[in-house]
Amino acid sequence: GENVEQHPSTLSVQEGDSAVIKCTYSDSASNYFPWYKQELGKRPQLIIDIRSNVGEKKDQRIAVTLNKTAKHFSLHITETQPEDSAVYFCAATVQGGSEKLVFGKGMKLTVNP
Amino acid sequence: DGGITQSPKYLFRKEGQNVTLSCEQNLNHDAMYWYRQDPGQGLRLIYYSQIVNDFQKGDIAEGYSVSREKKESFPLTVTSAQKNPTAFYLCASHDRDGNEKLFFGSGTQLSVL
């Protein structure tokens, strides 16, 4: 089955710096890779996703890249702000298959003002 | 924050007791999921259901049971066989028609007395 590894587990940056979160997956059939953000005490919410037919997707200050050959994908946050502080989860699944989304263990991002 | 509702927000279980966590959605979603969240462990899948009257075990199903008698409802029972039930439980749903975005409930914190 699918296994998703995420690193680092914690990251602390200064406001305005960039942050990068990296994930690897094991199932070469996986074709959908979402990222979720969970603020303290709140439910996870989807912030961006990418499908295997593209290599990069951007939405304002966040972007995700996918390398299918190496089976890894990354989340990039530029010009970080204190409100970016949260736990970020990557996930992977096979669309049209079992639809069982497998999550990484999460990364706690702290943006210091 | 409507759409998917979990109750109760906090639940306490006595040793040897079964407890049931409620999850209701009014999004007309076919697929529903139960995740367990422990600190540093990410989101681990307990059970999922892609259609009414059908469900599959996730990665950590032992000690849990579910039912899916109605499209809107996917209750999770934590049985006495689950020896370490203290965790944050998240229910989620999504539409199977090509949109894999998961909508999460606000969660139930289960603790053992």
Side-chain angles (χ1 to χ4, degrees):
Chain A
E2 177 67 277
N3 182 47
V4 177
E5 300 286 340
Q6 185 172 352
H7 55 96
S9 58
T10 61
L11 180 64
S12 183
V13 300
Q14 290 300 121
E15 183 176 359
D17 287 350
S18 295
V20 180
I21 310 167
K22 298 180 181 181
C23 288
T24 59
Y25 61 99
S26 61
D27 188 349
S28 57
S30 288
N31 54 13
Y32 175 66
F33 308 92
W35 287 87
Y36 284 80
K37 174 184 179 182
Q38 186 178 27
E39 296 176 37
L40 188 63
K42 296 190 177 180
R43 69 192 78 189
Q45 293 195 310
L46 179 73
I47 56 171
I48 195 168
D49 56 14
I50 191 168
R51 302 178 195 277
S52 59
N53 58 346
V54 298
E56 184 174 356
K57 184 177 179 180
K58 190 173 181 180
D59 183 4
Q60 298 182 335
R61 294 187 297 108
I62 60 172
V64 58
T65 59
L66 171 65
N67 183 326
K68 288 189 295 182
T69 303
K71 288 190 283 188
H72 69 71
F73 56 114
S74 301
L75 179 72
H76 305 252
I77 306 174
T78 59
E79 301 172 27
T80 54
Q81 301 167 3
E83 51 265 39
D84 294 330
S85 296
V87 178
Y88 292 82
F89 294 97
C90 61
T93 190
V94 179
Q95 279 185 319
S98 69
E99 299 186 27
K100 190 174 78 169
L101 198 59
V102 178
F103 285 85
K105 292 187 176 182
M107 190 210 76
K108 182 178 180 181
L109 174 66
T110 302
V111 180
N112 300 302
Chain B
D1 277 343
I4 183 163
T5 304
Q6 287 185 244
S7 63
K9 189 171 183 179
Y10 300 98
L11 186 59
F12 297 91
R13 193 193 90 168
K14 294 179 181 178
E15 196 168 333
Q17 184 182 41
N18 293 353
V19 292
T20 298
L21 284 60
S22 170
C23 179
E24 303 277 333
Q25 54 99 357
N26 60 4
L27 300 167
N28 201 34
H29 287 170
D30 290 305
M32 297 187 74
Y33 303 77
W34 274 106
Y35 289 92
R36 170 176 170 147
Q37 186 172 25
D38 295 278
Q41 292 295 318
L43 300 169
R44 293 185 291 168
L45 184 63
I46 306 172
Y47 268 97
Y48 63 109
S49 168
Q50 294 176 296
I51 198 167
V52 175
N53 292 322
D54 186 51
F55 50 82
Q56 289 81 39
K57 292 182 179 179
D59 300 315
I60 55 166
E62 186 175 352
Y64 301 97
S65 65
V66 293
S67 62
R68 187 83 188 277
E69 297 176 1
K70 298 186 299 181
K71 188 175 186 178
E72 307 80 29
S73 179
F74 191 41
L76 173 74
T77 297
V78 184
T79 74
S80 57
Q82 173 49 245
K83 298 306 180 187
N84 184 24
T86 297
F88 190 58
Y89 291 85
L90 283 162
C91 180
S93 69
H94 77 77
D95 190 342
R96 295 189 67 202
D97 291 339
N99 183 1
E100 291 76 18
K101 175 182 176 181
L102 275 179
F103 290 81
F104 284 89
S106 55
T108 293
Q109 175 65 49
L110 175 62
S111 302
V112 177
L113 290 174

